[in-house]
Amino acid sequence: MGHKILLKGNEVMAEAAVQAGCRFFAGYPITPQNEVPEYMSKRLPEVGGVFVQAESELAAINMVFGASASGARCMTSSSSPGISLKQEGISYIAGAELPCVIANMQRGGPGLGNIRASQADYFQAVKGGGHGDYRVIVLGPSTLPELYQLTMNAFDWADFYRNPVMILGDGILGQMAEPVELSPYKPIVNLPEKDFVLDGCKGREPRVVKTLVLKPADGLVAHNEHLQEKYQRIEDELSLCAEYETADADIVVAAYGITARVAKGAVRMAREKGIAAGLIRPITLWPFPKSLFLSIAQTASQVLVVEMSHGQFIEDVKLAMNCALPVEFLGKGGGWYPTEEVILEKIEAMAQAYAVSGKETNKCRH
Amino acid sequence: MIKQGSEVTQMDKQQAKIIMAGFGGQGIVVIGNILARGCVIEDKNVTGMVSYGAEMRGGTANATVVLSDEEIASPYVVHPTHAIILNHPSLDRFEPELVEGGLVLLNTSLMQRDVERKDLEQIKIAATEIAHELGNLKVANIVALGAFIRHTGLLKMKSIEQGIGTLFAAKKPALVGLNLKALAAGAARSVFEPATAKASLG
């Protein structure tokens, strides 16, 4: 260990899953995530795991449902249209409170869309996606080393909270190559005993894993209340966010995933030009790191949201800051990628407009 | 950007955004892979992207490698600083995209015209003909890579040799020797031409 190897994002994620003890993967091909099932089909048999190329996305997510109920660390991956197909199963798995990891390497939508990268499934990922009042823990990695780490963490959080965890990547993150150190897996939480597993009830009380609750009449009300308590606990305990140069920043860029790493480059360029810019980057998209956004709202003057969609992430940014600051937007869907230059232009325009409006800006330290 | 005609061993602290383009099957992805491996060997930051889409054999293919001593923001390149152009259609497509004062490597065996822009530095190499002389057309990409490394000095030739070694050793060890020969031939038989008009500063 200690040495870096060059892998594609999809392969990095798949290897991280194997390292974390994932022993069941079911998937159905779709660009731009095909390297995940390809890698798993070769790698899982080497470690005594099971790879299934399912007949459909629906079948794949339900195989994961079954694998989880039988106690395996399990995963499926797809890209936008395929993730839409999996939503029914995700709702069931969340309802049954089973752990699993789902990866969405987002592509352009709506519909079959195209195969370029996109972040237009944000609402679907963080607001539910399937039916019913449920939540999925959503992670937004920005680099391949982070993708490696977060994928391993995803399995821990899934087991710890008995909840699906989604890795919300995109086509670039999946397709790009970057050196990664494949550090060994270490659990980051005390993993609870899996006391729900259906593995034969000889010598113990039978267990039931189900999502249909007809009796007692208010049984589903109670189950929902229990779920909401759990989601509240997750919100209290798990919210991750990264900041860059925010301490004295006038203009804070808010972005996640691949967009955030491009935005960071733009912030560096803005700093070189003497503009006090900074970056806030949620790592957990649900739970949304509200408190950090609230503190940004107290120190910054303006916020710029950049996303590869037409204004989804921006809603959570505004909510988290109670609309305390003016929020500008830069984003498009359908396979549009922001460059550092385009983001910098927007930052410069905001800085200029602010100067013209006569308000005093924080002095840049550089 | 580069020091004329000499082998440069140290690059300035800067970022290089390199695009490699040619026909599908010319080994575009392979040289991107070798470049990126060279970066890992020299502990530089690097990202690689292969164009993906509804590609087919004989269609155009391109890959981008960003290498830097500093953190890399975007793996996606719109305006490359360097272009390795292995066929004519790729010259038409990427010549206008290069940054001002950028560098273009041309596989002269497959070009029907010269570079039009006056601000671009050029490396000229008859990569396909040299590969033919070496007995395997498939190594034209490595010939071009040898020329590119010699004149840009972005990485050490030794790192590229090592990258070739690790890439081919596992699957096709018999090809390591031929590829190293192609790399050396490319370095030896290429011509550097400075820009004919100076790029305007800023």
Side-chain angles (χ1 to χ4, degrees):
Chain A
M1 284 303 151
H3 92 132
K4 290 177 177 172
I5 63 166
L6 196 69
L7 289 173
K8 276 189 172 187
N10 286 330
E11 297 166 333
V12 167
M13 182 174 71
E15 180 57 30
V18 172
Q19 293 285 334
C22 174
R23 290 297 177 267
F24 182 88
F25 180 97
Y28 187 81
I30 186 170
T31 306
Q33 64 82 56
N34 281 324
E35 292 81 3
V36 185
E38 184 189 11
Y39 191 92
M40 286 301 208
S41 69
K42 187 178 67 167
R43 189 75 171 91
L44 277 176
E46 291 174 2
V47 292
V50 174
F51 166 84
V52 182
Q53 175 163 329
E55 68 271 33
S56 71
E57 287 84 352
L58 210 66
I61 189 71
N62 283 296
M63 287 174 189
V64 165
F65 189 177
S68 184
S70 67
R73 277 199 155 175
C74 52
M75 178 178 188
T76 185
S77 72
S78 191
S79 180
S80 307
I83 294 291
S84 291
L85 289 166
K86 290 182 198 288
Q87 290 301 334
E88 181 193 47
I90 297 171
S91 168
Y92 278 53
I93 295 169
E97 288 191 89
L98 292 177
C100 71
V101 174
I102 303 143
N104 181 2
M105 292 301 173
Q106 298 169 86
R107 61 186 245 179
L112 213 45
N114 63 13
I115 58 175
R116 287 168 65 93
S118 162
Q119 294 182 316
D121 304 347
Y122 180 85
F123 281 155
Q124 184 195 55
V126 306
K127 309 288 180 191
H131 59 282
D133 271 319
Y134 74 93
R135 291 290 194 177
V136 169
I137 295 168
V138 183
L139 310 173
S142 187
T143 65
L144 297 199
E146 188 175 54
L147 175 62
Y148 184 77
Q149 199 54 53
L150 283 179
T151 303
M152 295 202 286
N153 298 349
F155 284 93
D156 288 348
W157 290 323
D159 279 345
F160 189 75
Y161 293 113
R162 283 186 57 175
N163 208 70
V165 177
M166 180 175 281
I167 296 161
L168 191 64
D170 67 88
I172 297 180
L173 195 76
Q175 290 299 319
M176 69 179 282
E178 193 170 33
V180 177
E181 189 184 326
L182 301 179
S183 51
Y185 163 74
K186 258 187 259 144
I188 53 162
V189 289
N190 283 325
L191 294 169
E193 197 197 330
K194 290 189 171 181
D195 57 4
F196 57 87
V197 171
L198 308 182
D199 54 356
C201 64
K202 201 171 179 184
R204 64 160 170 82
E205 283 294 300
R207 295 165 178 162
V208 180
V209 170
K210 61 169 186 171
T211 63
L212 179 68
V213 187
L214 297 177
K215 284 178 190 171
D218 61 352
L220 190 56
V221 174
H223 181 56
N224 267 287
E225 282 176 334
H226 159 73
L227 287 178
Q228 292 304 317
E229 277 166 25
K230 180 173 83 172
Y231 300 147
Q232 186 58 55
R233 187 158 62 89
I234 299 174
E235 285 201 65
D236 293 343
E237 294 172 357
L238 184 69
S239 96
L240 299 172
C241 194
E243 288 175 277
Y244 175 69
E245 302 268 22
T246 51
D248 67 339
D250 267 334
I251 298 170
V252 172
V253 182
Y256 72 95
I258 199 81
T259 307
R261 75 182 280 163
V262 183
K264 192 174 177 183
V267 165
R268 274 200 300 266
M269 290 159 88
R271 285 270 166 185
E272 278 164 21
K273 293 193 163 200
I275 300 169
L279 173 76
I280 182 164
R281 175 174 76 85
I283 296 167
T284 51
L285 297 168
W286 191 86
F288 199 80
K290 288 178 195 150
S291 56
L292 258 157
F293 275 86
L294 263 180
S295 60
I296 292 290
Q298 282 160 7
T299 57
S301 326
Q302 306 182 75
V303 173
L304 170 62
V305 170
V306 187
E307 57 183 300
M308 299 195 301
S309 51
H310 283 274
Q312 301 187 19
F313 170 65
I314 191 173
E315 289 194 6
D316 278 343
V317 172
K318 285 182 173 175
L319 268 175
M321 296 195 306
N322 290 327
C323 297
L325 288 184
V327 178
E328 290 281 320
F329 180 71
L330 178 64
K332 276 184 199 175
W336 172 86
Y337 307 143
T339 60
E340 292 132 280
E341 290 77 14
V342 165
I343 300 172
L344 175 66
E345 241 172 67
K346 185 80 181 174
I347 294 173
E348 285 181 305
M350 286 168 68
Q352 204 164 16
Y354 200 72
V356 168
S357 77
K359 290 176 196 165
E360 198 159 310
T361 56
N362 292 336
K363 290 262 155 49
C364 180
R365 275 197 296 243
H366 296 278
Chain B
M1 181 165 299
I2 66 166
K3 289 180 189 138
Q4 185 185 338
S6 64
E7 283 177 67
V8 187
T9 50
Q10 281 284 316
M11 76 176 267
D12 300 330
K13 223 176 185 171
Q14 66 175 10
Q15 230 180 35
K17 299 178 178 182
I18 309 159
I19 189 148
M20 288 137 274
F23 290 123
Q26 272 187 308
I28 296 300
V29 177
V30 170
I31 49 173
N33 192 328
I34 294 168
L35 263 179
R37 281 166 186 258
C39 294
V40 176
I41 289 163
E42 294 189 18
D43 207 23
K44 287 181 190 299
N45 291 319
V46 61
T47 61
M49 276 286 286
V50 176
S51 71
Y52 64 95
E55 312 285 8
M56 56 185 174
R57 194 176 291 265
T60 57
N62 71 78
T64 53
V65 167
V66 180
L67 72 91
S68 177
D69 295 318
E70 278 155 25
E71 196 178 332
I72 296 167
S74 177
Y76 182 73
V77 174
V78 181
H79 298 296
T81 57
H82 300 71
I84 300 175
I85 302 293
L86 295 192
N87 72 350
H88 187 91
S90 301
L91 178 63
D92 291 343
R93 181 164 163 203
F94 292 110
E95 186 182 350
E97 301 298 336
L98 273 154
V99 297
E100 217 173 337
L103 178 143
V104 58
L105 177 145
L106 290 185
N107 173 15
T108 53
S109 309
L110 299 180
M111 295 300 145
Q112 286 135 36
R113 68 166 172 89
D114 272 339
V115 171
E116 279 164 6
R117 283 172 58 178
K118 306 283 183 226
D119 63 310
L120 299 178
E121 297 174 325
Q122 297 182 44
I123 299 167
K124 289 186 170 169
I125 174 97
T128 306
E129 284 162 58
I130 294 170
H132 183 66
E133 285 171 29
L134 291 169
N136 189 337
L137 280 176
K138 283 185 181 166
V139 297
N141 58 341
I142 307 293
V143 173
L145 184 61
F148 182 77
I149 294 298
R150 180 196 159 195
H151 291 288
T152 61
L154 286 171
L155 292 165
K156 298 185 184 84
M157 198 64 83
K158 220 178 89 191
S159 313
I160 298 295
E161 288 166 3
Q162 216 177 317
I164 288 173
T166 58
L167 181 65
F168 290 106
K171 282 182 181 168
K172 293 169 182 166
L175 290 180
V176 174
L178 173 65
N179 279 284
L180 292 180
K181 220 193 266 180
L183 191 75
R189 294 173 61 179
S190 48
V191 177
F192 175 82
E193 289 179 9
T196 48
K198 236 184 176 175
S200 62
L201 291 172

Short mmCIF file of all heavy atoms in Angstrom, two decimals, chain B residues 87-130:
data_model
loop_
_atom_site.label_atom_id
_atom_site.label_comp_id
_atom_site.label_asym_id
_atom_site.label_seq_id
_atom_site.Cartn_x
_atom_site.Cartn_y
_atom_site.Cartn_z
N ASN B 87 -4.47 12.16 -37.31
CA ASN B 87 -5.07 12.10 -38.65
C ASN B 87 -5.64 13.45 -39.06
O ASN B 87 -5.77 14.37 -38.23
CB ASN B 87 -6.15 11.00 -38.72
CG ASN B 87 -7.41 11.37 -37.96
OD1 ASN B 87 -7.45 12.35 -37.21
ND2 ASN B 87 -8.44 10.58 -38.14
N HIS B 88 -5.95 13.59 -40.33
CA HIS B 88 -6.36 14.88 -40.87
C HIS B 88 -7.65 15.46 -40.27
O HIS B 88 -7.69 16.63 -39.89
CB HIS B 88 -6.46 14.78 -42.40
CG HIS B 88 -6.71 16.10 -43.04
ND1 HIS B 88 -5.70 16.93 -43.46
CD2 HIS B 88 -7.88 16.76 -43.28
CE1 HIS B 88 -6.22 18.03 -43.95
NE2 HIS B 88 -7.54 17.96 -43.85
N PRO B 89 -8.72 14.63 -40.17
CA PRO B 89 -9.96 15.19 -39.61
C PRO B 89 -9.77 15.78 -38.20
O PRO B 89 -10.42 16.76 -37.84
CB PRO B 89 -10.91 13.98 -39.56
CG PRO B 89 -10.37 13.01 -40.55
CD PRO B 89 -8.89 13.23 -40.61
N SER B 90 -8.84 15.21 -37.44
CA SER B 90 -8.62 15.71 -36.08
C SER B 90 -7.93 17.08 -36.11
O SER B 90 -8.13 17.90 -35.22
CB SER B 90 -7.77 14.72 -35.28
OG SER B 90 -8.42 13.48 -35.22
N LEU B 91 -7.11 17.31 -37.14
CA LEU B 91 -6.47 18.63 -37.27
C LEU B 91 -7.55 19.69 -37.52
O LEU B 91 -7.55 20.75 -36.89
CB LEU B 91 -5.46 18.62 -38.43
CG LEU B 91 -4.75 19.96 -38.70
CD1 LEU B 91 -3.91 20.39 -37.50
CD2 LEU B 91 -3.89 19.88 -39.96
N ASP B 92 -8.47 19.36 -38.44
CA ASP B 92 -9.56 20.30 -38.73
C ASP B 92 -10.36 20.60 -37.47
O ASP B 92 -10.76 21.73 -37.23
CB ASP B 92 -10.51 19.71 -39.79
CG ASP B 92 -9.84 19.64 -41.16
OD1 ASP B 92 -8.81 20.32 -41.35
OD2 ASP B 92 -10.34 18.88 -42.02
N ARG B 93 -10.57 19.58 -36.67
CA ARG B 93 -11.43 19.74 -35.51
C ARG B 93 -10.74 20.49 -34.36
O ARG B 93 -11.35 21.31 -33.69
CB ARG B 93 -11.90 18.36 -35.04
CG ARG B 93 -12.82 18.44 -33.85
CD ARG B 93 -13.58 17.17 -33.62
NE ARG B 93 -14.13 17.18 -32.28
CZ ARG B 93 -14.46 16.10 -31.61
NH1 ARG B 93 -14.30 14.91 -32.16
NH2 ARG B 93 -14.96 16.19 -30.39
N PHE B 94 -9.47 20.18 -34.11
CA PHE B 94 -8.85 20.70 -32.89
C PHE B 94 -7.91 21.89 -33.09
O PHE B 94 -7.59 22.57 -32.12
CB PHE B 94 -8.15 19.57 -32.13
CG PHE B 94 -9.12 18.57 -31.57
CD1 PHE B 94 -9.21 17.29 -32.10
CD2 PHE B 94 -9.97 18.92 -30.53
CE1 PHE B 94 -10.14 16.37 -31.60
CE2 PHE B 94 -10.90 18.02 -30.03
CZ PHE B 94 -10.98 16.73 -30.57
N GLU B 95 -7.49 22.15 -34.32
CA GLU B 95 -6.62 23.31 -34.52
C GLU B 95 -7.25 24.60 -33.98
O GLU B 95 -6.58 25.36 -33.28
CB GLU B 95 -6.25 23.48 -36.01
CG GLU B 95 -5.23 24.60 -36.21
CD GLU B 95 -4.86 24.83 -37.68
OE1 GLU B 95 -5.23 24.00 -38.53
OE2 GLU B 95 -4.19 25.84 -37.95
N PRO B 96 -8.54 24.83 -34.27
CA PRO B 96 -9.13 26.09 -33.76
C PRO B 96 -9.27 26.12 -32.24
O PRO B 96 -9.42 27.20 -31.66
CB PRO B 96 -10.53 26.12 -34.41
CG PRO B 96 -10.52 25.06 -35.46
CD PRO B 96 -9.49 24.06 -35.07
N GLU B 97 -9.25 24.95 -31.60
CA GLU B 97 -9.52 24.89 -30.16
C GLU B 97 -8.29 25.16 -29.30
O GLU B 97 -8.40 25.48 -28.12
CB GLU B 97 -10.10 23.52 -29.77
CG GLU B 97 -11.40 23.16 -30.47
CD GLU B 97 -12.52 24.12 -30.15
OE1 GLU B 97 -12.47 24.77 -29.08
OE2 GLU B 97 -13.45 24.25 -30.98
N LEU B 98 -7.10 24.97 -29.89
CA LEU B 98 -5.87 25.13 -29.10
C LEU B 98 -5.73 26.54 -28.53
O LEU B 98 -6.14 27.51 -29.17
CB LEU B 98 -4.65 24.82 -29.97
CG LEU B 98 -4.24 23.35 -30.03
CD1 LEU B 98 -3.51 23.06 -31.33
CD2 LEU B 98 -3.36 22.98 -28.84
N VAL B 99 -5.14 26.65 -27.35
CA VAL B 99 -4.91 27.97 -26.77
C VAL B 99 -3.90 28.73 -27.64
O VAL B 99 -3.15 28.12 -28.42
CB VAL B 99 -4.33 27.89 -25.32
CG1 VAL B 99 -5.31 27.22 -24.39
CG2 VAL B 99 -2.98 27.18 -25.32
N GLU B 100 -3.89 30.03 -27.48
CA GLU B 100 -2.95 30.85 -28.23
C GLU B 100 -1.53 30.46 -27.82
O GLU B 100 -1.22 30.31 -26.64
CB GLU B 100 -3.19 32.32 -27.92
CG GLU B 100 -2.99 33.18 -29.13
CD GLU B 100 -3.39 34.62 -28.89
OE1 GLU B 100 -4.21 34.88 -27.99
OE2 GLU B 100 -2.87 35.47 -29.62
N GLY B 101 -0.68 30.25 -28.81
CA GLY B 101 0.70 29.86 -28.51
C GLY B 101 0.83 28.40 -28.12
O GLY B 101 1.87 28.00 -27.60
N GLY B 102 -0.19 27.62 -28.38
CA GLY B 102 -0.16 26.20 -28.03
C GLY B 102 0.76 25.40 -28.95
O GLY B 102 1.40 25.96 -29.85
N LEU B 103 0.81 24.12 -28.68
CA LEU B 103 1.70 23.26 -29.46
C LEU B 103 0.91 22.14 -30.11
O LEU B 103 0.05 21.53 -29.47
CB LEU B 103 2.78 22.66 -28.55
CG LEU B 103 3.76 21.70 -29.22
CD1 LEU B 103 5.15 21.88 -28.65
CD2 LEU B 103 3.34 20.25 -29.08
N VAL B 104 1.20 21.89 -31.38
CA VAL B 104 0.53 20.80 -32.06
C VAL B 104 1.55 19.84 -32.64
O VAL B 104 2.55 20.24 -33.22
CB VAL B 104 -0.45 21.34 -33.15
CG1 VAL B 104 0.27 22.19 -34.18
CG2 VAL B 104 -1.19 20.20 -33.83
N LEU B 105 1.32 18.54 -32.39
CA LEU B 105 2.15 17.51 -33.02
C LEU B 105 1.36 16.94 -34.17
O LEU B 105 0.21 16.55 -34.01
CB LEU B 105 2.50 16.40 -32.02
CG LEU B 105 3.32 15.24 -32.60
CD1 LEU B 105 4.29 14.70 -31.57
CD2 LEU B 105 2.47 14.10 -33.17
N LEU B 106 1.99 16.90 -35.34
CA LEU B 106 1.31 16.39 -36.53
C LEU B 106 1.93 15.08 -37.00
O LEU B 106 3.15 15.00 -37.15
CB LEU B 106 1.43 17.39 -37.68
CG LEU B 106 0.67 18.70 -37.60
CD1 LEU B 106 0.85 19.45 -38.93
CD2 LEU B 106 -0.80 18.45 -37.34
N ASN B 107 1.07 14.11 -37.24
CA ASN B 107 1.52 12.90 -37.93
C ASN B 107 1.46 13.22 -39.42
O ASN B 107 0.43 13.07 -40.06
CB ASN B 107 0.58 11.74 -37.57
CG ASN B 107 0.87 10.50 -38.38
OD1 ASN B 107 1.92 10.40 -39.02
ND2 ASN B 107 -0.06 9.57 -38.36
N THR B 108 2.60 13.67 -39.97
CA THR B 108 2.60 14.19 -41.34
C THR B 108 2.24 13.12 -42.37
O THR B 108 1.85 13.44 -43.49
CB THR B 108 3.97 14.78 -41.70
OG1 THR B 108 4.98 13.80 -41.42
CG2 THR B 108 4.25 16.03 -40.89
N SER B 109 2.34 11.85 -41.98
CA SER B 109 2.00 10.78 -42.93
C SER B 109 0.54 10.87 -43.36
O SER B 109 0.19 10.44 -44.44
CB SER B 109 2.22 9.41 -42.29
OG SER B 109 3.49 9.30 -41.73
N LEU B 110 -0.32 11.39 -42.49
CA LEU B 110 -1.75 11.37 -42.78
C LEU B 110 -2.37 12.77 -42.86
O LEU B 110 -3.56 12.92 -42.65
CB LEU B 110 -2.49 10.53 -41.71
CG LEU B 110 -2.08 9.05 -41.60
CD1 LEU B 110 -2.89 8.36 -40.52
CD2 LEU B 110 -2.25 8.32 -42.92
N MET B 111 -1.54 13.79 -43.14
CA MET B 111 -2.08 15.15 -43.24
C MET B 111 -2.13 15.59 -44.69
O MET B 111 -1.22 15.31 -45.46
CB MET B 111 -1.20 16.15 -42.47
CG MET B 111 -1.15 15.94 -40.98
SD MET B 111 -2.75 16.06 -40.18
CE MET B 111 -2.51 14.82 -38.91
N GLN B 112 -3.19 16.29 -45.04
CA GLN B 112 -3.28 16.82 -46.39
C GLN B 112 -3.01 18.32 -46.42
O GLN B 112 -3.11 18.97 -47.46
CB GLN B 112 -4.67 16.53 -46.97
CG GLN B 112 -4.84 15.06 -47.35
CD GLN B 112 -6.17 14.51 -46.88
OE1 GLN B 112 -7.17 15.21 -46.88
NE2 GLN B 112 -6.16 13.24 -46.46
N ARG B 113 -2.74 18.88 -45.27
CA ARG B 113 -2.44 20.31 -45.25
C ARG B 113 -1.55 20.62 -44.05
O ARG B 113 -1.36 19.79 -43.16
CB ARG B 113 -3.73 21.14 -45.18
CG ARG B 113 -4.47 21.02 -43.85
CD ARG B 113 -5.53 22.12 -43.75
NE ARG B 113 -6.39 21.97 -42.59
CZ ARG B 113 -6.13 22.48 -41.39
NH1 ARG B 113 -5.00 23.13 -41.16
NH2 ARG B 113 -6.99 22.33 -40.40
N ASP B 114 -1.01 21.85 -44.07
CA ASP B 114 -0.21 22.32 -42.95
C ASP B 114 -1.11 22.96 -41.91
O ASP B 114 -2.28 23.21 -42.15
CB ASP B 114 0.80 23.37 -43.44
CG ASP B 114 2.09 22.70 -43.90
OD1 ASP B 114 2.34 21.55 -43.48
OD2 ASP B 114 2.82 23.33 -44.70
N VAL B 115 -0.50 23.26 -40.79
CA VAL B 115 -1.22 24.01 -39.75
C VAL B 115 -1.43 25.43 -40.27
O VAL B 115 -0.51 26.03 -40.83
CB VAL B 115 -0.39 24.02 -38.45
CG1 VAL B 115 -0.99 24.97 -37.43
CG2 VAL B 115 -0.30 22.61 -37.89
N GLU B 116 -2.63 25.95 -40.12
CA GLU B 116 -2.91 27.29 -40.64
C GLU B 116 -2.53 28.39 -39.66
O GLU B 116 -2.08 29.45 -40.04
CB GLU B 116 -4.40 27.41 -41.01
CG GLU B 116 -4.68 26.81 -42.38
CD GLU B 116 -6.17 26.55 -42.61
OE1 GLU B 116 -6.99 26.93 -41.75
OE2 GLU B 116 -6.48 25.93 -43.65
N ARG B 117 -2.73 28.14 -38.39
CA ARG B 117 -2.45 29.18 -37.39
C ARG B 117 -0.96 29.44 -37.29
O ARG B 117 -0.14 28.53 -37.32
CB ARG B 117 -3.01 28.76 -36.02
CG ARG B 117 -4.51 28.94 -35.94
CD ARG B 117 -5.07 28.35 -34.69
NE ARG B 117 -4.47 28.93 -33.47
CZ ARG B 117 -4.83 28.59 -32.24
NH1 ARG B 117 -5.77 27.67 -32.05
NH2 ARG B 117 -4.25 29.15 -31.21
N LYS B 118 -0.62 30.72 -37.16
CA LYS B 118 0.80 31.11 -37.13
C LYS B 118 1.35 31.11 -35.70
O LYS B 118 2.56 31.21 -35.50
CB LYS B 118 0.97 32.52 -37.73
CG LYS B 118 0.38 32.66 -39.13
CD LYS B 118 1.28 32.04 -40.18
CE LYS B 118 0.73 32.25 -41.57
NZ LYS B 118 0.75 31.01 -42.37
N ASP B 119 0.45 31.07 -34.72
CA ASP B 119 0.91 31.19 -33.33
C ASP B 119 1.25 29.85 -32.70
O ASP B 119 1.69 29.79 -31.56
CB ASP B 119 -0.19 31.87 -32.49
CG ASP B 119 -1.46 31.04 -32.46
OD1 ASP B 119 -1.93 30.62 -33.54
OD2 ASP B 119 -1.97 30.78 -31.36
N LEU B 120 1.05 28.76 -33.44
CA LEU B 120 1.25 27.44 -32.85
C LEU B 120 2.66 26.91 -33.09
O LEU B 120 3.19 27.04 -34.19
CB LEU B 120 0.24 26.45 -33.42
CG LEU B 120 -1.24 26.77 -33.18
CD1 LEU B 120 -2.11 25.71 -33.86
CD2 LEU B 120 -1.56 26.84 -31.68
N GLU B 121 3.23 26.33 -32.07
CA GLU B 121 4.48 25.60 -32.24
C GLU B 121 4.13 24.23 -32.81
O GLU B 121 3.04 23.72 -32.56
CB GLU B 121 5.17 25.44 -30.88
CG GLU B 121 5.57 26.79 -30.28
CD GLU B 121 6.12 26.65 -28.87
OE1 GLU B 121 5.63 25.78 -28.13
OE2 GLU B 121 7.02 27.42 -28.53
N GLN B 122 5.06 23.66 -33.57
CA GLN B 122 4.73 22.39 -34.21
C GLN B 122 5.83 21.35 -34.02
O GLN B 122 7.00 21.68 -34.04
CB GLN B 122 4.55 22.60 -35.72
CG GLN B 122 3.40 23.51 -36.09
CD GLN B 122 3.27 23.61 -37.60
OE1 GLN B 122 3.34 22.61 -38.31
NE2 GLN B 122 3.09 24.82 -38.09
N ILE B 123 5.38 20.12 -33.86
CA ILE B 123 6.30 18.99 -33.95
C ILE B 123 5.82 18.17 -35.13
O ILE B 123 4.63 17.82 -35.19
CB ILE B 123 6.27 18.13 -32.67
CG1 ILE B 123 6.68 18.95 -31.44
CG2 ILE B 123 7.17 16.90 -32.83
CD1 ILE B 123 6.38 18.25 -30.12
N LYS B 124 6.72 17.92 -36.08
CA LYS B 124 6.31 17.14 -37.24
C LYS B 124 7.01 15.78 -37.22
O LYS B 124 8.21 15.70 -37.00
CB LYS B 124 6.65 17.90 -38.53
CG LYS B 124 5.73 19.10 -38.71
CD LYS B 124 5.96 19.77 -40.06
CE LYS B 124 4.88 20.81 -40.30
NZ LYS B 124 5.21 21.66 -41.45
N ILE B 125 6.21 14.76 -37.45
CA ILE B 125 6.75 13.41 -37.42
C ILE B 125 5.94 12.53 -38.38
O ILE B 125 4.71 12.53 -38.33
CB ILE B 125 6.74 12.83 -35.98
CG1 ILE B 125 7.16 11.37 -35.93
CG2 ILE B 125 5.38 12.97 -35.31
CD1 ILE B 125 8.58 11.17 -35.59
N ALA B 126 6.65 11.81 -39.24
CA ALA B 126 5.96 10.90 -40.17
C ALA B 126 5.70 9.59 -39.44
O ALA B 126 6.29 8.55 -39.73
CB ALA B 126 6.81 10.69 -41.42
N ALA B 127 4.81 9.64 -38.47
CA ALA B 127 4.66 8.54 -37.53
C ALA B 127 4.22 7.24 -38.20
O ALA B 127 4.74 6.16 -37.89
CB ALA B 127 3.66 8.94 -36.44
N THR B 128 3.27 7.35 -39.13
CA THR B 128 2.76 6.13 -39.76
C THR B 128 3.83 5.48 -40.64
O THR B 128 3.99 4.26 -40.65
CB THR B 128 1.49 6.44 -40.57
OG1 THR B 128 0.56 7.12 -39.71
CG2 THR B 128 0.84 5.19 -41.10
N GLU B 129 4.60 6.32 -41.38
CA GLU B 129 5.67 5.76 -42.22
C GLU B 129 6.75 5.10 -41.38
O GLU B 129 7.24 4.01 -41.71
CB GLU B 129 6.30 6.89 -43.06
CG GLU B 129 5.42 7.32 -44.23
CD GLU B 129 5.82 8.69 -44.78
OE1 GLU B 129 6.99 8.85 -45.18
OE2 GLU B 129 4.96 9.58 -44.75
N ILE B 130 7.12 5.75 -40.29
CA ILE B 130 8.15 5.18 -39.41
C ILE B 130 7.66 3.86 -38.82
O ILE B 130 8.39 2.87 -38.75
CB ILE B 130 8.55 6.19 -38.31
CG1 ILE B 130 9.23 7.41 -38.95
CG2 ILE B 130 9.46 5.54 -37.27
CD1 ILE B 130 9.46 8.58 -38.00
#
